Amino acid sequence: MFREKIRQHYDHLSRSYRRVADFILTDYHAAAFMTAAGLAQAVGVDTTTVVRFAQRIGYPGYPELVDDIQVQVKSELGQTYVAPAEDNTLQAMVQYYVAEDRANLEKALAHNSLRTLEEVLDLLVIAPRIVIVADSYAAPLAESFALMLKEAGLPARYVGSDVYEQARAMTGLTRRDLIIGVTPLEEASSVARTLAFARGAGATTLACGPSLNSQTARAADHLLYAPGETDENNIPSLIGLYSLFTALARALASKRAVEIVREREQINRVLRELT
């Protein structure tokens, strides 16, 4: 395998050889269809350097290196488009779960319509206070979502499982405040109780999870559906949740790109004055 060969020899390569190696390692999909002259031009070295690089890492010549790269690319294409084998080996199970997550993402796109996403985005934009709570495996994910929203300029805050901290965060709630509950579980959870309290206190609530009719989903005003169904006694999938959270944060950040740059410039200006 070309990547293993490159790694084995990398520490002992010259600077020009490393330029070739770095390009192949980071962009081998393009390198697979390049001639030696084309690759040489892309990295700014002589054609003979590319040929000698192939020989240096153990190939008879450049064509054999390209053949090896193409085998890897074809293998990846096959894994992407061919259904995973139905057997009990660990590698087949990995393929199965990746394919399952791909199906979950398609379900999330189908269910969360443009109108649903518009409502969620509007709630995030107008909220003077965004409090995010989570349970189980979703806790680190929810904390990351809060950080991404803060990076996009929104007043988001993740609150852990400490009841006192949750109480402090949800004191004096108003209708425009947004409380987001995140869970990877379909059964009842502490998130459902928190959302029910916040809703009763007058805040707007949003549930994010894998069920359309769970206690958590019913406790909220709005629902962001992120399917993550899994076998009994197995780890729930977080891919749907993470994909939706990242997409929401990126969309909000792109709309505020100019403001975000201006804010960072102001912060840097103050830092220079302070230091």
Side-chain angles (χ1 to χ4, degrees), residues 9 23 35 58 72 88 119 122 147 164 192 226 260:
H9 292 85
F23 182 88
T35 63
Q72 176 65 28
N88 293 323
E119 290 176 350
D122 286 343
L147 291 173
Y164 179 75
I260 290 173

Side-chain angles (χ1 to χ4, degrees), residues 46-66:
D46 295 331
T47 302
T48 53
T49 299
V50 174
V51 176
R52 290 171 181 167
F53 165 80
Q55 296 170 338
R56 177 69 177 80
I57 64 174
Y59 292 96
Y62 181 73
E64 289 78 12
L65 169 59
V66 168

Side-chain angles (χ1 to χ4, degrees), residues 104-269:
N104 284 334
L105 288 175
E106 292 173 353
K107 291 179 187 177
L109 283 174
H111 182 84
N112 296 300
S113 64
L114 289 176
R115 181 177 179 181
T116 299
L117 296 174
E118 181 182 14
E119 290 176 350
V120 172
L121 289 166
D122 286 343
L123 292 173
L124 290 167
V125 169
I126 68 172
R129 177 168 38 164
I130 301 171
V131 178
I132 304 177
V133 298
D135 63 6
S136 187
Y137 300 100
L141 185 63
E143 187 172 11
S144 295
F145 185 38
L147 291 173
M148 286 188 284
L149 291 179
K150 288 179 68 175
E151 188 69 16
L154 301 184
R157 174 186 177 187
Y158 169 73
V159 180
S161 58
D162 184 83
V163 179
Y164 179 75
E165 288 299 318
Q166 291 186 10
R168 287 185 59 188
M170 291 188 288
T171 299
L173 292 174
T174 68
R175 184 60 188 168
R176 292 178 62 195
D177 291 328
L178 179 62
I179 310 302
I180 302 175
V182 186
T183 180
L185 309 174
E186 298 192 16
E187 60 265 25
S189 69
S190 60
V191 169
R193 294 192 297 272
T194 302
L195 290 174
F197 166 80
R199 191 177 185 183
T204 300
T205 52
L206 170 66
C208 306
S211 176
L212 297 170
N213 58 358
S214 66
Q215 183 180 353
T216 302
R218 296 194 305 272
D221 300 297
H222 303 273
L223 173 66
L224 194 63
Y225 177 55
E229 294 88 348
T230 188
D231 302 330
E232 187 177 1
N233 298 324
N234 207 335
I235 300 171
S237 172
L238 302 176
I239 295 298
L241 284 168
Y242 186 76
S243 180
L244 287 169
F245 289 165
T246 304
L248 288 169
R250 291 177 67 185
L252 290 165
S254 67
K255 285 293 185 181
R256 296 192 66 255
V258 175
E259 291 88 343
I260 290 173
V261 171
R262 187 181 300 118
E263 290 170 1
R264 288 175 179 170
E265 289 176 348
Q266 291 174 348
I267 292 172
N268 289 334
R269 191 179 304 116

